[in-house]
């Protein structure tokens, strides 16, 4: 029997099955061939990737720490700024008080006005004519009594009284600050509502009225308006012939001298 005859005797389904198995074998081989390099690639690159992730994680932790540090510094700066603002407000308040005390700020508020004017009585034959005129001493006495009664600010004929103000006689007028003033002299004082009552109870003011008004006829009048206005001091506050006394605490203590040894 020849080969062709044997071949013809093989069923067709066996041929089909063989071809299918052969094709399946090729597919499995191809699949294995394609997965082999991928598995080898993953195992080879795993260690560098882990190292990279570790480095990135460390950098992230550093950045988080820097962020927390910056936030802490910002908070501290904000608190420092708040403290500085409080210090500035306190310094501004102290500066305002100093400017008010120096008379550099105009003021308005409750107070009173006292007017002193020369006497209209005839001068007695044996008297001094100047006794019948308002002098610097009279004005100074009223100003001092107003301060003692609680006045916070005083002006004479719109001249603000300051710690450096001098009130002196210059001929028939008086000199206040650098202004020559003539009578009548209006002394305006800003203070509590009962300033007039306090002034009236002052022994020094009572003595002034008794000595000058009742004896020589010096005219004294009072007014209590709803509010009084005091102008600011218009002169200079620079001292020419004086300087501040150094504080004792600012002077360094002398070092103790060493005793001589024998």
């Amino acid at each position: 029997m020849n080969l062709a005859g044997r071949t013809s005797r093989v069923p067709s389904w066996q041929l089909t099955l063989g071809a299918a198995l052969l094709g399946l074998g090729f597919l499995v081989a191809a699949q294995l061939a394609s997965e082999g390099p991928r598995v080898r690639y993953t195992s080879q690159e795993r260690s560098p990737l882990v190292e990279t992730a570790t480095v990135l994680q460390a950098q992230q932790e550093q950045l988080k720490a820097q962020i927390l540090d910056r936030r802490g510094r910002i908070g501290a700066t904000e608190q420092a700024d708040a403290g500085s603002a409080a210090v500035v407000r306190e310094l501004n308040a102290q500066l305002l008080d100093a400017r008010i005390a120096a008379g550099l700020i105009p003021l308005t508020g409750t107070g009173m006005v006292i007017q002193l004017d020369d006497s209209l009585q005839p001068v007695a034959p044996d008297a001094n004519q100047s006794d019948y005129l308002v002098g610097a001493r009279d004005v100074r006495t009223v100003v001092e009594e107003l301060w003692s009664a609680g006045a916070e600010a005083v002006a004479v004929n719109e001249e603000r009284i300051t710690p450096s103000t001098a009130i002196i006689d210059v001929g028939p007028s008086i000199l206040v600050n650098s202004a020559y003033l003539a009578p009548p002299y209006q002394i305006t004082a800003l203070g509590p509502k009962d300033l007039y009552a306090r002034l009236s109870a002052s022994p020094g003011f009572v003595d002034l009225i008794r000595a000058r008004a009742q004896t020589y006829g010096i005219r004294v009048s009072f007014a209590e308006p709803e509010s009084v206005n005091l102008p600011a001091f218009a002169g200079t506050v620079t001292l020419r012939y004086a300087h501040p006394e150094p504080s004792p605490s600012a002077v360094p203590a002398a070092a103790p001298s060493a005793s001589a040894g024998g």
Side-chain angles (χ1 to χ4, degrees), residues 91-118:
L91 292 176
N92 286 335
Q94 294 178 6
L95 178 60
L96 179 61
D97 292 340
R99 290 174 62 85
I100 291 175
L104 302 179
I105 297 178
L107 300 175
T108 183
T110 59
M112 63 177 299
V113 179
I114 302 176
Q115 180 170 293
L116 303 180
D117 203 354
D118 295 338

Side-chain angles (χ1 to χ4, degrees), residues 65-180:
Q66 291 179 4
I67 291 173
L68 294 176
D69 179 67
R70 298 297 188 275
R71 287 178 179 175
R73 292 185 181 183
I74 291 173
T77 303
E78 289 176 349
Q79 293 179 358
D81 289 343
S84 299
V87 171
V88 170
R89 286 194 299 269
E90 178 65 22
L91 292 176
N92 286 335
Q94 294 178 6
L95 178 60
L96 179 61
D97 292 340
R99 290 174 62 85
I100 291 175
L104 302 179
I105 297 178
L107 300 175
T108 183
T110 59
M112 63 177 299
V113 179
I114 302 176
Q115 180 170 293
L116 303 180
D117 203 354
D118 295 338
S119 173
L120 297 178
Q121 295 180 5
V123 179
D126 56 347
N128 188 346
Q129 185 177 5
S130 61
D131 292 336
Y132 294 81
L133 303 177
V134 178
R137 182 177 181 181
D138 300 322
V139 176
R140 285 198 304 268
T141 301
V142 173
V143 171
E144 292 171 357
E145 292 299 324
L146 284 169
W147 288 125
S148 299
E152 298 177 358
V154 180
V156 178
N157 285 19
E158 300 298 320
E159 280 294 324
R160 184 74 170 269
I161 303 300
T162 71
S164 61
T165 296
I167 303 175
I168 58 178
D169 288 308
V170 179
S173 62
I174 65 174
L175 180 67
V176 179
N177 295 327
S178 58
Y180 293 93

Side-chain angles (χ1 to χ4, degrees), residues 5 45 58 156 193:
E45 296 297 331
V156 178
K193 293 182 178 180

